[in-house]
Amino acid sequence: MMSADRLLAFAAMSFLLIVIPGPSVLFVIGRALAQGRRAALTTVAGNTLGAYVLVAAVAFGVGTVVERSSLVFTLLKLAGAAYLVFLGVKAWRERGALHAAVTRVSGAQGGSRTFWEGFAVGVTNPKTIVFFAAVLPQFVDRGQGHVAVQMLLLGLVFNMIAVASDVVWGLVASTARDWFARSPQRISLVGGIGGLTMIGLGVTVAATGRKD
């Protein structure tokens, strides 16, 4: 259905985009620093699902609307930015209670909530929206037919690379957090850094984007 050359070319371009930390990666790092390894990996899972929803949207035509409408794109971008700032402020305000949460077996918050927070960031990631809407369709061989299936396959390739990258970032950040967790002052500091990272990320997302 699709040549190996096309898949490899798309994988290479995806890798170049993914290795440059964007909203999803920085959010995973923030979660790892604030809540640890389990929260980071759960966030990666939610983030991945959110990204694949974007793939499906592009494959079935919704992505065209987002790409062509500056208003729709801007609204989606600002929604994602506002959500990041909200989560960052929350993490900052709760930084003093992190040490007690770390020492509890149950963790700081439920896995389901963490998952859906990751999903919300993944599905509103402007960097991914632009890539899927503007770049992904260029690698489809329309002469072979089954265009939607080809897009879903390309999206799967992208997500596999993204998962590997995000997991590495999350594990590295959570390992650094374990050292901080030995002291209430250290873990409070790292929780505050994680919150400020998300706030800064939200502001950056809101301030950048298309010029049309």
Side-chain angles (χ1 to χ4, degrees):
M1 179 184 298
M2 181 178 293
S3 68
D5 290 343
R6 283 178 181 267
L7 283 175
L8 290 175
F10 179 78
M13 183 167 287
S14 298
F15 178 78
L16 291 176
L17 177 82
I18 291 167
V19 294
I20 302 172
S24 294
V25 170
L26 295 179
F27 184 71
V28 169
I29 292 174
R31 269 291 183 255
L33 292 176
Q35 297 180 20
R37 182 177 294 107
R38 178 178 295 182
L41 296 180
T42 303
T43 299
V44 170
N47 212 321
T48 302
L49 179 60
Y52 206 71
V53 167
L54 292 178
V55 174
V58 171
F60 296 105
V62 179
T64 303
V65 176
V66 176
E67 172 60 18
R68 293 180 178 177
S69 174
S70 178
L71 176 60
V72 173
F73 178 87
T74 300
L75 290 176
L76 190 58
K77 179 186 72 171
L78 292 178
Y83 193 62
L84 283 169
V85 171
F86 167 76
L87 293 176
V89 170
K90 181 180 177 183
W92 171 264
R93 293 180 62 183
E94 296 177 355
R95 68 190 186 282
L98 278 179
H99 188 262
V102 169
T103 58
R104 289 200 304 266
V105 177
S106 59
Q109 69 178 40
S112 176
R113 181 176 175 182
T114 301
F115 177 88
W116 289 112
E117 287 178 346
F119 173 86
V121 172
V123 81
T124 58
N125 184 346
K127 178 180 172 182
T128 308
I129 291 172
V130 172
F131 183 79
F132 286 159
V135 178
L136 185 149
Q138 298 179 27
F139 289 86
V140 172
D141 187 352
R142 299 184 182 277
Q144 296 292 328
H146 305 288
V147 172
V149 175
Q150 290 187 58
M151 287 187 178
L152 293 174
L153 176 60
L154 291 171
L156 183 61
V157 170
F158 179 94
N159 273 0
M160 290 174 63
I161 298 172
V163 166
S165 173
D166 290 354
V167 166
V168 170
W169 279 109
L171 291 178
V172 170
S174 61
T175 298
R177 174 186 183 268
D178 290 340
W179 181 81
F180 282 100
R182 298 173 190 171
S183 163
Q185 290 76 21
R186 291 175 184 169
I187 195 62
S188 177
L189 173 64
V190 81
I193 292 173
L196 290 176
T197 298
M198 284 185 277
I199 293 173
L201 175 59
V203 173
T204 300
V205 168
T208 58
R210 294 155 41 155
K211 297 181 179 180
D212 57 343

